[in-house]
Amino acid sequence: MVRKIIVLNPDYNLDQLTLSQVLPWGVIIKSLPIINALVVKVRKKAALTALANEPWVQRVDDDCRITAVSEGEPAAERESELNPQAQALPWGIKRIKANLAWPLSAGAKVKVAIVDTGIDRKHKDLKVVGGVNTVNHGKTFHDDNGHGTHVAGIVAALNNSLGVVGVAPKALLYGVKVLNKYGSGYLSDVIEGLQWCINHKMRVINMSLGTPFDYPSFYAAIVKVAQAGITMVAAAGNSGCSGDTVIYPAKYPQVIAVTAIAQNDSFAYFSSCGPSVDLTAPGVNIYSTYKGNSYAYMSGTSMATPHVTGTCALVLARKSLNPTQMITHLKKQAELLPGLNSDQQGAGLVNALAAVKNL
Ligand code: CA
């Protein structure tokens, strides 16, 4: 049995298709209406050519694996930072001037989807409004990995007396669990998550995940999300900077591609780079929320991405921009870093204060 995404001919829609047309080929796992496709466990690999020749079939795609983009293992909090009386202002939040933007906007009422490993719903420093689990239907979106919770905290950890604070502490967090506890998921589960984001009217989507390969079904789904007016932000990847190493979906023009810098404004050694990069953001030794109501340091373009996502939430609370307008606006307001080339930083370091002020 092999998992495939079967894209229907435009003349056919999912309602017209009868089970007797599909069952000879395999078992239906789920349907993906936004790309007019079915996910099927196909019985025999040898039958794929014949399946592709069926009149109702336009294309058969691999249901590949998509992975979270983190670098190394998370490090627990340092003793010196264990101060229950105080909330730390993580260096990344300060570097992009997010805290200076809060008098103008803290991202209130903006729905932000974290398409990832889920979110720790019981974390005391996060307010999680809702979510879905596309990996395991019927299960909650609770984070059994930690990656999604870390990303969520960078976007919107609460401004209180605990732990950390995020870029947009009043944004509404939604946990869209598309990756399993190992940080890996099927492309079809990611697409189903994006479908959920459209149906539940998310305003911005964070994707700290990706694949080095360009799958037509992934691109088709990204186009639908952009057409729905939802801004998408994704990690450029942790493949290093040698040639064009940006992964998908960051590489698609509809998605804001984010690289990572360290605390001294140097380019992160692990970060991917390339002509499709839009912005850079802090991504080394980032302190944020973690599963089990805890905190941890993590590094990766996964951690840079939510700095931009949070900035989108700050902007959207003040003014509705479509995805194209958002990309143009954030790039125009970015801070160009002298030590990095354009493949490394795109238009520069995301600047939350300028993005909110100059609307
Ligand atoms: Ca806090």
Side-chain angles (χ1 to χ4, degrees), residues 189-208:
D189 296 340
V190 176
I191 295 174
E192 191 189 3
L194 295 176
Q195 206 164 265
W196 187 92
C197 290
I198 296 174
N199 294 339
H200 292 80
K201 299 188 162 47
M202 296 296 119
R203 306 284 302 283
V204 51
I205 295 174
N206 189 99
M207 285 182 278
S208 290

Side-chain angles (χ1 to χ4, degrees), residues 280-341:
T280 194
V284 178
N285 292 332
I286 302 299
Y287 191 50
S288 182
T289 50
Y290 201 64
K291 67 175 173 175
N293 192 36
S294 69
Y295 297 88
Y297 286 91
M298 288 179 82
S299 297
T301 51
S302 276
M303 283 67 241
T305 305
H307 285 90
V308 176
T309 301
T311 302
C312 293
L314 297 178
V315 168
L316 289 168
R318 299 260 297 178
K319 192 175 180 182
S320 281
L321 300 184
N322 68 36
T324 312
Q325 292 168 326
M326 182 65 82
I327 295 174
T328 308
H329 177 65
L330 292 189
K331 289 174 93 158
K332 193 179 166 197
Q333 301 303 329
E335 174 189 343
L336 203 64
L337 299 177
L340 274 63
N341 65 41

Side-chain angles (χ1 to χ4, degrees), residues 87 125 157-165 295:
Q87 169 184 269
D125 215 358
L158 298 170
N159 193 1
N160 51 16
S161 58
L162 290 172
V164 292
V165 60
Y295 297 88

Side-chain angles (χ1 to χ4, degrees), residues 89-112:
L89 180 65
W91 78 264
I93 308 297
K94 198 177 169 191
R95 183 65 189 85
I96 69 165
K97 302 188 174 92
N99 52 318
L100 302 179
W102 294 337
L104 294 167
S105 172
K109 293 181 184 164
V110 177
K111 291 180 169 185
V112 182

Side-chain angles (χ1 to χ4, degrees), residues 3 63-66 178-179 184-191:
R3 243 174 107 132
D63 195 7
C64 66
R65 301 299 290 194
I66 305 285
V178 301
L179 305 177
S184 160
Y186 284 106
L187 172 60
S188 60
D189 296 340
V190 176
I191 295 174

